Amino acid sequence: MQNNSSILALFILIFSVQVCIPVVAQKKSNMKDQTPNEVRAKKILSKLSLEDKCGEMTQLAIDVTLNGEPYNPVEPQSFDMEKLREVLIDLRVGSILNVAAHAYTRERWYEVMDTIQTIATKEKKNSIPVLYGIDAIHGANYTVGATLMPQQIGLAATWNPELARLSGEVSAYETRASAIPWTFSPVLDMGRDQRWPRLWETFGEDVHLASEMGVAMIDGFQGDDIGDKYHVAACMKHFLGYSIPWSGKDRSPAYIPERQLREYFVPTFQKATDAGAATLMICSGEVNGIPVHANPALLKDLLRTEMGFKGLAVSDWDDLIYLVNRHRVATDMKDAIRIAVNAGMDMAMVPMDTQFPILLKELVQEGKVPMERIDEAVTRILIAKIELGLFEQPFYPMSDYPDFASEKHTQISYEAAAESVVLLKNKNNSLPINTSQKVLVTGPTANSMQCLNGGWSGTWQGNNTDYDNKDKKTILQAIQDKLGAENVIYTQGTSFDKTQNLQAVTKAAEGVETIIVCIGEMSYTETPGNIDDLNLPDAQIELVKTAAATGKKVIVIMAAGRPRIVRELEPNADAFLMSLLPGNEGGRAIADIIVGEINPSGKMPYTYPRYANALMTYDHKGTDLPKYDFSMDNFDPQWEFGYGQSYTKFAYSNLKIINQTLSKDDSIEISVDVKNIGNRAGKEVVQLFITDKVASVTPSVKRLRAFEKINLKVGEIKTITFNLPISDLKFIGIDNQWIIEPGDFEVTISNLKSDFEVIN
Ligand code: BGC
């Protein structure tokens, strides 16, 4: 044992040095600090054999237990009871995940869960219930007929944390109503690379906005007690550094200096940890040459010792074998298991390979994985199961959930969708349009639920129309409802990348006043969403130009997971709406915005680039700006983070800072008046940015430090007051620690600016 711990210590030291994160001694837990759930977990643990423990640490995909092959179940699906018993009784597997191939009905979910939990708790010797996990990332998206909410990027565009909370609450309710207690959500990776195919799964590019949204969504998922029948355990993911791969491609290497890692990528996870997120998923990628699954400096020293996360850490899909065949840091699966478990992984999402518990047991017997590490991991898993109430009642009767897909939930989804749409251009008040006219609707995203819902909707890629909820409306159908089908002509014009019939578009435009061109992307996620070119395919640019050439009013709707470049087509649009995967009610919300029943209030959660080679975030550095002519004003995005118009106008005045000289322990009070000076009620997001004028580490040009969404009637004026602790102005200093430096700061709210000073 002695020997093993010194090898482990050396191993930790080597990895820590490589990512430059200082090793901090592990805190010893004190018996009397233990929570009742921890005491209960340890009692259960004391009765478990090594086989039981290795089984508890295993998570398999449901495929492994079904008739048919992994990824290819026999339909209609059914358990192969022999395989299921082998998994649950012989291997003692503690967790199962996912759907095989496609969404299940609620009835099927109940059958699945009943069969699994009955065997686990009645036939298996240790009687420990199974922890079932699912990607319910925008509603219970793997349950037929569930309420599908906007994806995270859409929620971020609402700038309304209450909608993120409600969205989490609806998702939790409908996930439990599908007999499942654990969701792999939210994504707390920062959406700071516009090429990455999972950008839309994030809350966008800003740390503050993403932190507020993440905490709110977790609150909705977990409520006060994850053990009640309406809440689930959240799983913040993917820790850490997944979202800015060097190549822009999913699951490819990231290179993130420790300062950036700490300043931009840790805070969302820290805030969620402080807010009590129950579980965490480890990042599939490698950061600075070290796969995260093999990095104790991140998984132990940073996550546990520094950040204080106590919950269970599950691997991502197949990431152990990837240590062998992709990252090449392990010689074989057994070596990979040794590395990942010792690095701090508690549960392995293997997900189709049943060797994990067998090989892990051998590793323990050979002294290559210490028993303390196993006990630590299994204790965390048992605590999650206890907190979720699985030992008392693994799931509740279906009849306990009358609100599944109810009008109430649909309304929440609609409100979130309506606030998520961003009006980016509105030349001569082209929008809203009057309803007594004929319109032409065209484009590849016009008549598709996939382009509103995105990936993880019915199926993994979200691209199978069989799982569309037939009552829900595409953009085209919702416009037909508003204007009357006889007033809406539809011709698709082009597919996503191939022109079909532009003459038909020109011809159809003859009898209409307005052309609504719906462009964008098909649904995708992860590796299948990788692209080589952020430019929008030519076929779609041509479609917009064809529409403009008719001389009719052109409204462009971009429905996409990431900002495909529109520089060339944008001048052809009279109005431009951004649809950020608003979910099942998105079509209705967009149609209501087009006719003016809803006043748009979404703001961009990321910076929309103008050129594919000029990908920047709003909070770039001063030196990010040099132009070919030596000027320093080369930040010229199509639309900046935070931007979004309304059908009304807001005037800002009276920016006041109560005390303009403050010390580091003070809070600063900043107030501003906002007035609705237009002729419609509207919602506005008051955004407070602060610029650190001089700092020992080059400061960003500005950072969002606070925001508030308000509702103003015509002529109404509100005074908004922000109370900001000066400690929020901290940054990661030269020695890679958070510091606050005295000096001058500038506040910007809308077009107003004011200064203050922080003294020692
Ligand atoms: C994804 C995770 C997801 C997991 C389980 C992985 O491929 O990266 O985000 O939670 O699969 O479905």
Side-chain angles (χ1 to χ4, degrees):
M1 237 347 105
Q2 190 69 39
N3 233 351
N4 290 324
S5 17
S6 37
I7 291 170
L8 184 66
L10 184 67
F11 182 77
I12 292 172
L13 185 69
I14 292 167
F15 277 97
S16 308
V17 167
Q18 277 170 291
V19 291
C20 311
I21 289 185
V23 182
V24 186
Q26 289 274 351
K27 282 183 209 142
K28 285 261 173 294
S29 74
N30 186 332
M31 276 299 279
K32 62 177 192 301
D33 292 342
Q34 291 184 6
T35 63
N37 287 341
E38 205 173 339
V39 173
R40 184 172 166 196
K42 294 225 164 113
K43 207 162 152 205
I44 300 171
L45 181 83
S46 68
K47 302 204 179 92
L48 299 183
S49 65
L50 181 56
E51 284 87 347
D52 287 328
K53 293 177 185 176
C54 296
E56 277 301 304
M57 290 173 67
T58 312
Q59 185 183 57
L60 291 177
I62 189 169
D63 298 55
V64 178
T65 65
L66 299 177
N67 284 306
E69 297 301 316
Y71 299 108
N72 197 13
V74 173
E75 298 284 354
Q77 292 182 24
S78 57
F79 280 118
D80 175 333
M81 293 307 288
E82 208 174 304
K83 283 194 214 163
L84 183 62
R85 288 202 162 84
E86 187 192 326
V87 161
L88 296 179
I89 299 175
D90 302 345
L91 297 173
R92 302 158 208 208
V93 166
S95 180
I96 299 186
L97 87 152
N98 212 6
V99 281
H102 56 75
Y104 297 165
T105 60
R106 281 181 79 198
E107 289 69 22
R108 176 68 191 147
W109 274 125
Y110 270 80
E111 276 167 28
V112 163
M113 228 50 71
D114 194 31
T115 312
I116 289 176
Q117 300 295 17
T118 304
I119 296 178
T121 59
K122 304 225 162 68
E123 294 183 30
K124 184 175 57 166
K125 214 169 123 241
N126 69 32
S127 302
I128 299 175
V130 163
L131 176 54
Y132 204 104
I134 196 84
D135 293 275
I137 70 163
H138 69 127
N141 44 253
Y142 279 149
T143 303
V144 172
T147 309
L148 294 192
M149 310 299 295
Q151 296 280 3
Q152 274 185 226
I153 201 68
L155 292 176
T158 69
W159 289 62
N160 186 343
E162 177 57 8
L163 289 172
R165 193 190 67 75
L166 286 168
S167 180
E169 204 167 86
V170 169
S171 304
Y173 183 102
E174 298 201 3
T175 302
R176 279 278 192 173
S178 311
I180 304 172
W182 186 23
T183 179
F184 303 127
S185 180
V187 168
L188 296 182
D189 304 308
M190 295 308 306
R192 294 174 72 82
D193 185 325
Q194 295 95 340
R195 301 165 301 171
W196 189 48
R198 306 189 76 175
L199 175 77
W200 57 269
E201 290 183 59
T202 74
F203 286 120
E205 75 186 35
D206 178 68
V207 177
H208 180 67
L209 177 62
S211 301
E212 295 287 300
M213 290 293 175
V215 166
M217 195 166 181
I218 289 168
D219 187 21
F221 280 139
Q222 299 197 159
D224 294 333
D225 177 7
I226 60 172
D228 74 44
K229 60 180 161 189
Y230 302 125
H231 292 97
V232 295
C235 182
M236 48 179 174
K237 67 188 188 181
H238 309 79
F239 187 83
L240 182 73
Y242 182 31
S243 57
I244 49 160
W246 184 254
S247 67
K249 307 268 167 61
D250 190 48
R251 285 179 163 77
S252 63
Y255 301 92
I256 314 176
E258 184 182 350
R259 179 165 302 111
Q260 269 66 31
L261 198 69
R262 287 180 176 279
E263 187 152 336
Y264 292 95
F265 297 89
V266 171
T268 45
F269 287 96
Q270 181 69 68
K271 291 266 169 58
T273 298
D274 298 345
T279 73
L280 167 140
M281 190 181 291
I282 301 169
C283 158
S284 259
E286 58 175 80
V287 178
N288 304 338
I290 307 175
V292 180
H293 284 78
N295 194 339
L298 294 182
L299 298 184
K300 288 185 170 174
D301 306 332
L302 177 63
L303 179 65
R304 304 292 179 179
T305 312
E306 275 192 52
M307 294 172 60
F309 177 66
K310 298 211 162 39
L312 108 86
V314 62
S315 85
D316 200 348
W317 189 270
D318 253 340
D319 277 314
L320 296 190
I321 198 63
Y322 291 160
L323 293 181
V324 183
N325 58 23
R326 290 190 177 178
H327 302 288
R328 293 195 278 122
V329 296
T331 50
D332 55 20
M333 183 63 167
K334 188 165 170 182
D335 198 30
I337 296 171
R338 176 187 64 76
I339 291 173
V341 174
N342 284 334
M345 177 199 71
D346 300 320
M347 180 185 277
M349 188 189 289
V350 212
M352 306 287 181
D353 180 349
T354 52
Q355 295 177 84
F356 177 84
I358 299 160
L359 297 176
L360 180 58
K361 183 181 161 199
E362 286 175 18
L363 285 163
V364 177
Q365 286 168 337
E366 290 160 16
K368 292 181 180 147
V369 172
M371 197 61 197
E372 299 79 61
R373 180 72 266 279
I374 300 289
D375 285 348
E376 178 182 64
V378 178
T379 304
R380 289 178 186 146
I381 294 165
L382 292 172
I383 290 175
K385 292 184 178 188
I386 293 168
E387 285 178 349
L388 282 165
L390 302 185
F391 285 92
E392 283 67 42
Q393 190 161 348
F395 56 91
Y396 293 83
M398 217 191 273
S399 54
D400 284 9
Y401 301 94
D403 273 335
F404 179 89
S406 62
E407 190 43 50
K408 180 175 146 204
H409 286 185
T410 303
Q411 184 58 22
I412 293 170
S413 177
Y414 170 79
E415 278 166 25
E419 290 199 25
S420 77
V421 178
V422 190
L423 176 64
L424 290 170
K425 179 176 181 183
N426 198 13
K427 199 167 89 189
N428 304 328
N429 296 326
S430 305
L431 282 175
I433 64 169
N434 68 59
T435 47
S436 55
Q437 63 170 292
K438 274 195 183 337
V439 301
L440 164 63
V441 178
T442 182
T445 61
N447 199 21
S448 158
M449 290 309 297
Q450 284 55 51
C451 304
L452 296 172
N453 278 317
W456 307 103
S457 305
T459 61
W460 177 45
Q461 294 299 312
N463 55 4
N464 187 338
T465 52
D466 291 350
Y467 296 94
D468 288 354
N469 184 332
K470 304 293 180 261
D471 302 338
K472 303 300 172 186
K473 306 285 176 171
T474 62
I475 299 172
L476 169 67
Q477 291 161 343
I479 293 173
Q480 285 169 334
D481 283 356
K482 284 283 141 196
L483 302 186
E486 65 288 2
N487 294 319
V488 181
I489 307 172
Y490 170 65
T491 179
Q492 191 177 307
T494 122
S495 70
F496 288 96
D497 55 2
K498 292 210 174 38
T499 298
Q500 289 173 340
N501 192 347
L502 295 181
Q503 288 92 328
V505 175
T506 309
K507 178 109 197 29
E510 280 167 15
V512 307
E513 228 175 278
T514 303
I515 308 177
I516 299 170
V517 192
C518 304
I519 56 176
E521 295 185 321
M522 184 48 177
S523 64
Y524 56 80
T525 183
E526 300 189 47
T527 307
N530 284 345
I531 47 170
D532 290 324
D533 188 356
L534 196 60
N535 287 296
L536 191 71
D538 289 344
Q540 297 192 51
I541 300 175
E542 282 316 305
L543 177 66
V544 178
K545 287 185 175 170
T546 304
T550 64
K552 305 293 164 93
K553 185 195 279 185
V554 175
I555 312 294
V556 171
I557 300 171
M558 168 62 81
R562 70 200 131 193
R564 303 302 290 263
I565 303 294
V566 292
R567 177 185 71 255
E568 210 184 318
L569 70 83
E570 179 271 323
N572 296 284
D574 294 292
F576 196 107
L577 282 172
M578 187 75 198
S579 158
L580 294 141
L581 300 172
N584 259 349
E585 306 307 322
R588 273 210 297 144
I590 289 168
D592 288 347
I593 285 174
I594 288 176
V595 301
E597 283 173 28
I598 294 282
N599 187 354
S601 64
K603 306 277 175 192
M604 287 306 291
Y606 56 72
T607 298
Y608 200 124
R610 187 181 294 276
Y611 298 93
N613 282 9
L615 306 182
M616 278 163 82
T617 54
Y618 84 96
D619 53 354
H620 54 272
K621 302 278 181 107
T623 45
D624 270 321
L625 301 174
K627 218 170 170 171
Y628 54 83
D629 62 1
F630 300 102
S631 64
M632 290 296 282
D633 59 353
N634 208 11
F635 182 53
D636 181 27
Q638 194 79 48
W639 294 289
E640 189 174 343
F641 166 81
Y643 183 73
Q645 299 183 21
S646 163
Y647 293 157
T648 188
K649 291 250 168 310
F650 301 99
Y652 284 74
S653 62
N654 244 339
L655 175 60
K656 279 195 209 136
I657 297 180
I658 306 307
N659 182 353
Q660 281 178 304
T661 307
L662 301 112
S663 85
K664 290 176 187 170
D665 301 324
D666 289 340
S667 282
I668 182 166
E669 198 177 306
I670 302 167
S671 67
V672 70
D673 293 346
V674 190
K675 183 173 184 191
N676 182 346
I677 53 167
N679 50 16
R680 258 173 209 269
K683 291 181 180 160
E684 168 70 335
V685 181
V686 184
Q687 302 165 340
L688 185 155
F689 294 94
I690 294 188
T691 301
D692 188 345
K693 291 195 178 171
V694 177
S696 55
V697 172
T698 58
S700 300
V701 294
K702 60 178 177 178
R703 294 286 300 270
L704 180 79
R705 296 300 186 187
F707 65 90
E708 193 174 327
K709 192 161 194 178
I710 55 171
N711 201 351
L712 288 175
K713 295 188 215 104
V714 175
E716 193 182 4
I717 184 161
K718 275 187 184 159
T719 302
I720 307 304
T721 304
F722 296 102
N723 231 307
L724 197 77
I726 293 297
S727 58
D728 281 7
L729 304 177
K730 62 184 190 277
F731 63 94
I732 300 289
I734 287 173
D735 59 359
N736 288 332
Q737 303 291 320
W738 287 108
I739 53 162
I740 310 163
E741 275 179 358
D744 292 334
F745 294 82
E746 182 182 66
V747 175
T748 307
I749 299 183
S750 184
N751 54 336
L752 307 175
K753 287 186 190 302
S754 186
D755 287 354
F756 66 94
E757 186 192 2
V758 174
I759 51 172
N760 268 321

